[in-house]
Amino acid sequence: MRVAVLSFAHVHAATYIALLRDHADVELVTADPDAPPGAPDRGPALAGRLGVPYAATLDEVFAAPLDAAVITSENSRHRELVERAAAAGAHVLCEKPLATTEADARAVVAACARAGVSLMTAYPVRFAPAFTALRDALADARLGRLIAVHGTNNGWNPARSQPWFGDRELAGGGAVMDHTVHIADLMDVLLGGEQAAEVYAQANTVLDAELGLDVETAGLVTVRYPSGVTAAVDCSWSQPAHHPTWGGLTLTCVAEHGIVEFDAFPRLLGGFDETARQSRWEPGGDDLDAALLDEFLDACRTGRRPRPDGEAGLRSLRIVLAAYESLRRGQPAALTAEDVPD
């Protein structure tokens, strides 16, 4: 399979490139035409460090038949790259969020459907074995009806290393846009695709205020579903620069007959680094990015629909956009379930 990674803007680009590079049946090509000149973590510099082929332009990438494309550009640039890849007959894995507007998200879903190619949204936490166990426990009624969920998705401020995350036009927002979508997608799975009814959000720029970013760095989002389930999400970029890991994702699920806690990135080893004079730990669990790519490549080979698909990305984005509407109005924002594919 000939697979392209288009843009190195997103912090996950290097991880995806390294994983794809090691697939024996993948012919990898990369391109980052919008990279700032001389940037050490972008463009030809990153491709050279990772030892992968690099194309100077998108035209060079699409000059030969392409089987699949991984889109890791700035959020607002997803649409143009997805549409071009789809038009070339390539299956698409798009980094989250799927887009920064509902119109763009619907456009990329429609473009892939017209072209007859798969569209997958990059939500790797779905592939955690512990999350599968949580889903199964709730599905077989051992815990009874789900009542409430408290989710956290915290991390370092990505704008420290990739400034575009702090640009509202390119990113679509800050911590609320960046981290709410992961929890929203897990809720989508736990509730069988039930669409949210109402969203309320609070956010501020207190964390990393000295950076003068154009986006929020902390947020709390509450989502109410028609079935009565309520999910509260802490989506803040609240991990300090010296924190031992980038962050993490947890769910505390309250059901009628029990409470279950899920940690997507449990600590495997912990300790203190005398040289660095700080605590450190090694994360445990499976490589969720590798599992995500395996799902995508298998779907490309077999022609089956990948999960999570583009429609899942659209549903989670609608929750985030409702959160921003709530922030603008200072009150809950209602969502309708019309015309959103299952």
Side-chain angles (χ1 to χ4, degrees), residues 102-328:
E102 185 169 341
D104 280 354
R106 289 182 180 277
V108 300
V109 170
C112 291
R114 282 195 306 272
V117 299
S118 298
L119 173 61
M120 182 176 179
T121 309
Y123 287 135
V125 182
R126 278 201 189 198
F127 300 95
F131 179 71
T132 300
L134 169 63
R135 181 198 64 200
D136 292 346
L138 291 171
D140 70 8
R142 279 180 289 169
L143 298 174
R145 184 177 61 86
L146 184 63
I147 298 171
V149 175
H150 176 256
T152 68
N153 189 11
N154 305 133
W156 294 325
N157 184 338
R160 295 178 190 149
S161 60
Q162 298 285 4
W164 69 265
F165 277 96
D167 183 317
R168 187 168 298 276
E169 181 177 352
L170 291 175
V176 172
M177 177 67 77
D178 189 36
H179 279 172
T180 306
V181 288
H182 279 296
I183 304 290
D185 180 64
L186 298 182
M187 292 298 301
D188 194 55
V189 176
L190 295 179
L191 297 178
E194 180 181 357
Q195 296 175 44
E198 187 178 76
V199 180
Y200 179 68
Q202 289 282 346
N204 61 47
T205 58
V206 173
L207 299 174
D208 289 323
E210 70 279 4
L211 297 179
L213 301 179
D214 184 35
V215 298
E216 75 286 348
T217 53
L220 292 172
V221 178
T222 302
V223 186
R224 182 177 60 81
Y225 293 85
S227 61
V229 177
T230 299
V233 182
D234 176 356
C235 55
S236 307
W237 290 336
S238 53
Q239 302 291 21
H242 61 270
H243 197 264
T245 66
W246 70 268
L249 187 151
T250 67
L251 294 178
T252 299
C253 297
V254 180
E256 289 178 305
H257 306 311
I259 297 175
V260 181
E261 295 185 348
F262 162 71
D263 187 345
F265 304 98
R267 182 188 304 196
L268 178 63
L269 296 172
F272 186 80
D273 188 328
E274 181 64 30
T275 301
R277 301 297 300 169
Q278 67 182 40
S279 61
R280 61 175 297 175
W281 69 67
E282 297 296 329
D286 295 277
D287 187 335
L288 304 186
D289 290 323
L292 174 82
L293 286 174
D294 286 345
E295 163 72 8
F296 176 59
L297 294 175
D298 184 70
C300 293
R301 295 187 193 100
T302 62
R304 64 176 177 82
R305 191 180 188 91
R307 295 291 182 183
D309 55 21
E311 285 81 356
L314 171 59
R315 290 193 295 271
S316 54
L317 176 64
R318 294 182 79 240
I319 291 175
V320 173
L321 297 178
Y324 282 112
E325 178 64 20
S326 173
L327 288 173
R328 285 190 291 270

Side-chain angles (χ1 to χ4, degrees), residues 2 4 6 58-59 61-69 80-92 111-112 115-117:
R2 185 167 182 262
L6 303 181
L58 294 179
D59 288 342
V61 171
F62 290 104
L66 190 65
D67 297 297
E80 59 184 289
L81 293 175
V82 172
E83 289 182 333
R84 182 158 188 186
H91 301 290
V92 177
C112 291
V117 299

Side-chain angles (χ1 to χ4, degrees), residues 67-105:
D67 297 297
V70 179
I71 310 301
T72 43
S73 65
E74 298 89 345
N75 298 339
S76 64
R77 293 175 174 166
H78 288 174
R79 177 177 177 175
E80 59 184 289
L81 293 175
V82 172
E83 289 182 333
R84 182 158 188 186
H91 301 290
V92 177
L93 169 62
C94 185
E95 186 53 68
K96 61 80 190 169
L98 194 59
T100 58
T101 68
E102 185 169 341
D104 280 354

